[in-house]
Amino acid sequence: GFPPIAGAIQWARFLFTRIKLPMIKFRSVNRLLQSEQGVTAKNRFIETGIVLKEYEEELYTKWLDNIIKYLPIYLKQSLLIDAEQRPDLFLNDNNNNNNNHQQFINN
């Protein structure tokens, strides 16, 4: 349901939350994180969090650069369409007093 960039950022945040919840539980038992395996798990959690944050920031930066690049072009485009040049976007409504009204089709 999200646009591609927003979906990827949402996925990264969801993944971080999924790995964060067990770490919170481990933190409540001090001896778990003080063991050799606990220290390794904690370091991997921190490394993974950093990588996910960098991924999120990279996606956002690329998206923002793209928007800044193309926004002026998009803003200069007309919102009005000539029905004769794009008849595929319109249909005739002949039921309204035999007038040939055009109705816009939402796509």
Side-chain angles (χ1 to χ4, degrees):
F2 289 105
I5 301 299
I9 290 172
Q10 183 70 18
W11 171 82
R13 289 180 179 179
F14 173 77
L15 183 59
F16 180 74
T17 301
R18 290 287 300 216
I19 63 174
K20 180 181 171 183
L21 294 176
M23 289 304 296
I24 291 172
K25 290 179 183 178
F26 290 157
R27 192 172 59 183
S28 67
V29 181
N30 283 335
R31 65 176 182 259
L32 286 177
L33 289 179
Q34 292 173 353
S35 69
E36 184 178 331
Q37 289 177 336
V39 170
T40 302
K42 179 182 172 185
N43 289 338
R44 284 189 182 171
F45 168 73
I46 291 170
E47 290 169 8
T48 304
I50 290 169
V51 169
L52 288 171
K53 186 65 176 168
E54 288 172 352
Y55 173 72
E56 181 182 329
E57 289 173 357
E58 179 183 340
L59 286 173
Y60 176 75
T61 301
K62 285 182 180 180
W63 172 81
L64 186 60
D65 291 343
N66 193 39
I67 291 297
I68 290 170
K69 179 179 176 183
Y70 290 107
L71 187 61
I73 296 168
Y74 294 146
L75 289 175
K76 289 179 184 176
Q77 292 179 346
S78 175
L79 295 176
L80 301 176
I81 301 170
D82 185 356
E84 293 176 3
Q85 291 180 353
R86 292 295 308 270
D88 57 313
L89 297 176
F90 296 86
L91 66 98
N92 290 330
D93 181 12
N94 293 325
N95 295 331
N96 193 359
N97 296 330
N98 290 328
N99 291 334
N100 196 14
H101 292 107
Q102 298 286 328
Q103 291 183 339
F104 186 71
I105 299 174
N106 294 326
N107 35 330

